[in-house]
């Protein structure tokens, strides 16, 4: 029996490989990721980077926080204010004890006025701290870091001025209040003691504190313009003491008017007026010294802002 043969299929023709120069390369178009925005023309846009850190515009509050951190973390602030408190309170206490022990006739002088002697020395600490608050950053080079973090130079200087003024005012107010309580309690019973009413208390505490804080702000402005600690401190000591020293050594009728002007407008005389303890009978009185130091400090601070904006770091 013959088995039927299966028809043989023709062998498949071998596939011809295209020549190397005829090979066609196919590129698969990249597919956009899920949620990725489509770009015009059929492509897709690259998604932007979103920082996990919240971004918010800076303002004066950030500069104030930075300056407060700096001024409270340096040793010069603590040491200078400690010496100031020791001088003001210590000398005020010694003065009150010395006068009360001798049962001295005060001849109408207010017991609050005897805080003047300690405050006159405490002013030197305030002007030193005012200069160091800004000039120390120039000596160490940290001012570059400060202005890199906050490119607005006027904002940096404004923050320094506000923080320093507030700190100086609060410390001085505490000192004058303590000395006032000591003097009032120990000297109010002396013969001839003047009255210590509310207005006298306000002027001898708040008024004096404003005057001293503005004087320190003047020192800060000078330090910002000079950018040199020793030079700025020397100039401020001269502003405080030199007019009075010159007036003491002036003799002759030709210099009488100059000598009186130096006496009347010197810082010790102006500070004494704020304590209701005048050195001379003529010249400014009442709240005039506070107005004078306000105008002078305002002019110096405006000059410091102008210089800071125009000069290189």
């Amino acid at each position: 029996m013959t088995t039927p043969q299966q028809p043989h299929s023709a062998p498949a023709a071998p596939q011809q490989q295209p020549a190397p120069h005829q090979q066609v390369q196919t590129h698969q178009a990249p597919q956009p990721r899920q949620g990725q925005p489509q770009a015009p023309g059929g492509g897709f846009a690259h998604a932007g980077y979103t920082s996990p850190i919240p971004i918010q515009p800076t303002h004066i509050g950030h500069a104030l926080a930075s300056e407060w951190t700096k001024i409270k973390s340096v040793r010069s602030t603590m040491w200078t204010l400690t010496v100031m408190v020791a001088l003001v309170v210590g000398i005020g206490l010694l003065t009150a004890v010395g006068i009360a022990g001798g049962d001295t006739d005060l001849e109408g002088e207010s017991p609050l006025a005897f805080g003047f002697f300690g405050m006159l020395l405490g002013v030197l600490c305030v002007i030193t701290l005012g200069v160091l608050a800004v000039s120390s950053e120039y000596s160490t080079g940290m001012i570059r870091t400060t202005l890199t973090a906050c490119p607005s130079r006027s904002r940096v200087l404004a923050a320094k001025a506000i923080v320093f003024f507030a700190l100086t005012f609060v410390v001085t107010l505490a000192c004058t209040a303590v000395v006032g309580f000591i003097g009032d309690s120990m000297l109010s019973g002396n013969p001839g003691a003047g009255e210590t009413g509310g207005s006298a208390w306000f002027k001898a505490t708040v008024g004096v504190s404003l005057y001293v804080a503005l004087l320190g702000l003047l020192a800060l402005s000078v330090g910002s313009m000079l950018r040199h600690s020793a030079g700025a401190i020397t100039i401020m000591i001269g502003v405080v003491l030199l007019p009075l020293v010159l007036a003491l050594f002036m003799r002759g009728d030709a210099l009488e008017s100059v000598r009186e002007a130096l006496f009347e407008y010197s810082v010790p005389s102006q500070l004494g007026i704020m304590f209701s303890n005048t050195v001379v009978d003529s010249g400014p009185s009442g709240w005039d010294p506070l107005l004078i130091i306000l105008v002078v400090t305002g002019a110096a601070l405006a000059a410091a802002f102008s210089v800071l904006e125009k000069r290189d770091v």
Side-chain angles (χ1 to χ4, degrees):
M1 185 173 179
T2 304
T3 306
Q5 295 183 359
Q6 298 292 334
H8 296 281
S9 59
Q15 292 183 353
Q16 294 183 356
Q17 297 294 332
H21 65 277
Q22 295 178 347
Q23 290 183 358
V24 179
Q25 297 181 357
T26 58
H27 297 277
Q28 184 177 2
Q31 298 297 323
R33 293 189 297 270
Q34 184 178 2
Q36 192 168 5
Q38 294 288 330
F44 59 91
H46 294 281
Y49 173 75
T50 303
S51 173
I53 303 175
I55 300 176
Q56 56 181 349
T58 58
H59 49 76
I60 186 64
H62 298 114
L64 290 173
S66 174
E67 294 303 326
W68 169 244
T69 300
K70 285 189 286 186
I71 199 170
K72 74 177 182 179
S73 59
V74 294
R75 296 180 180 179
S76 60
T77 302
M78 183 60 65
W79 281 106
T80 306
L81 292 180
T82 300
V83 173
M84 174 194 172
V85 172
L87 288 174
V88 175
V89 177
I91 295 177
L93 176 62
L94 291 177
T95 303
V97 169
I99 296 176
D103 199 23
T104 306
D105 188 354
L106 300 184
E107 300 179 355
E109 198 72 54
S110 172
L112 304 176
F114 296 99
F116 163 79
F117 303 104
M119 186 57 67
L120 185 58
L121 294 179
V123 162
L124 301 179
C125 299
V126 172
I127 62 176
T128 301
L129 182 60
V131 170
L132 294 177
V134 61
S135 63
S136 59
E137 288 199 55
Y138 284 98
S139 61
T140 60
M142 281 299 295
I143 190 65
R144 297 183 179 90
T145 304
T146 300
L147 295 181
T148 300
C150 181
S152 176
R153 299 187 177 190
S154 58
R155 182 186 298 175
V156 171
L157 185 56
K160 287 181 180 294
I162 293 172
V163 170
F164 174 79
F165 180 85
L167 176 63
T168 307
F169 175 78
V170 170
V171 175
T172 308
L173 182 62
C175 292
T176 53
V178 171
V179 174
F181 279 118
I182 293 174
D184 191 22
S185 60
M186 298 183 67
L187 300 178
S188 59
N190 277 43
E195 296 183 0
T196 55
S199 59
W201 268 99
F202 186 79
K203 187 178 179 182
T205 54
V206 177
V208 170
S209 301
L210 287 173
Y211 185 90
V212 173
L214 286 171
L215 190 61
L217 197 57
L218 174 62
L220 185 145
S221 303
V222 173
S224 178
M225 288 185 285
L226 294 184
R227 303 181 178 185
H228 191 273
S229 301
I233 292 174
T234 303
I235 289 177
M236 287 305 304
I237 291 177
V239 169
V240 172
L241 299 178
L242 188 59
L244 185 61
V245 174
L246 290 176
L248 291 175
F249 288 95
M250 282 186 177
R251 295 290 185 270
D253 297 337
L255 299 176
E256 182 66 22
S257 58
V258 178
R259 188 171 72 89
E260 290 183 358
L262 290 176
F263 265 127
E264 293 169 357
Y265 292 95
S266 64
V267 171
S269 177
Q270 301 289 291
L271 189 60
I273 294 172
M274 296 304 299
F275 275 106
S276 299
N277 184 8
T278 57
V279 178
V280 292
D281 296 332
S282 59
S285 60
W287 292 87
D288 293 343
L290 189 61
L291 180 61
I292 293 172
I293 193 65
L294 180 62
V295 172
V296 174
T297 302
L301 192 58
F305 273 103
S306 177
V307 170
L308 185 61
E309 291 290 345
K310 293 180 180 180
R311 286 197 308 194
D312 293 334
V313 178

